[in-house]
Amino acid sequence: MTPRMRNRIGLILIASLFAAPLVTAYVLNAFGWRPAGMRNYGTLIEPPQDITGARIVDRDGKSLAWKDENWSWTVFALPGPACADACLQRIDELRRARLTLNQNAYRVRVVVVGDLPADALAALKPVYTVRDLDERLAALRPAHADEVAVAFADPHGFLVLSYPVGFDANKLRKDLARVVKN
């Protein structure tokens, strides 16, 4: 084998070492495989629903602000017809998931769509309640009493993720941490 042929073979081996991961990634992507770390646990709402035009108001009748410098993401807690102990515990899990974001906690607000007793609301601070006058979030609400579903809205007022009744709070927290960091 001549030195020129050895150099060509070496160049081809080096090029194949760099090309192999690219080809592998392309093939895996073509078959629909994604790494587990890239999956969200909530259900992606496609296409995202614009709710900036919805009349979502707080107890004082003020509209929910979307262009607020203190908030980035809104976590809507959507309780069923009657919110009792189990429902309040799930809302408290959302509040605690927000707190685990540490320095990014200020970028998330937890909003309950519906009324809560005043004493329960005081215990869940900084969670607050709103009313959905246009019923834009009604399709995501559970039908049974004492249950909670959840939806995420991005900083521009688009619903992007939803979680059905019985969601895993740890997985929700992971999704929340992932979107807040971006």
Side-chain angles (χ1 to χ4, degrees):
M1 182 181 291
T2 65
R4 188 172 182 181
M5 183 62 96
R6 270 193 303 234
N7 289 342
R8 284 185 183 170
I9 291 174
L11 182 62
I12 290 171
L13 286 174
I14 290 172
S16 65
L17 284 174
F18 285 104
L22 294 174
V23 170
T24 303
Y26 179 77
V27 168
L28 289 174
N29 190 37
F31 286 110
W33 183 84
R34 300 267 183 200
M38 298 298 291
R39 293 187 185 139
N40 50 302
Y41 297 106
T43 304
L44 194 62
I45 298 174
E46 287 202 49
Q49 297 176 11
D50 184 6
I51 58 170
T52 56
R55 293 182 304 150
I56 300 175
V57 296
D58 63 10
R59 288 183 178 212
D60 300 329
K62 293 189 304 186
S63 292
L64 187 65
W66 293 108
K67 302 295 182 192
D68 187 349
E69 64 189 36
N70 294 325
W71 307 107
S72 290
W73 288 82
T74 303
V75 176
F76 287 109
L78 305 161
C83 190
D85 291 337
C87 171
L88 293 174
Q89 288 175 357
R90 297 300 288 190
I91 294 171
D92 186 48
E93 287 177 359
L94 294 175
R95 181 188 65 84
R96 286 183 277 138
R98 177 191 172 273
L99 292 175
T100 62
L101 297 173
N102 296 328
Q103 73 270 12
N104 287 322
Y106 76 94
R107 296 184 63 202
V108 175
R109 60 182 167 183
V110 179
V111 178
V112 177
V113 180
D115 290 323
L116 292 178
D119 59 335
L121 190 58
L124 294 172
K125 229 171 177 84
V127 174
Y128 63 97
T129 61
V130 296
R131 287 178 287 133
D132 181 12
L133 300 178
D134 295 335
E135 296 293 323
R136 296 282 298 272
L137 301 170
L140 299 172
R141 293 180 82 118
H144 301 292
D146 211 20
E147 292 180 340
V148 179
V150 176
F152 285 2
D154 73 359
H156 303 290
F158 287 89
L159 285 178
V160 292
L161 283 175
S162 68
Y163 296 83
V165 172
F167 60 89
D168 184 349
N170 287 327
K171 291 179 179 178
L172 181 138
R173 185 192 59 76
K174 289 177 183 177
D175 278 351
L176 190 57
R178 198 175 295 138
V179 297
V180 168
K181 288 181 183 177
N182 293 331

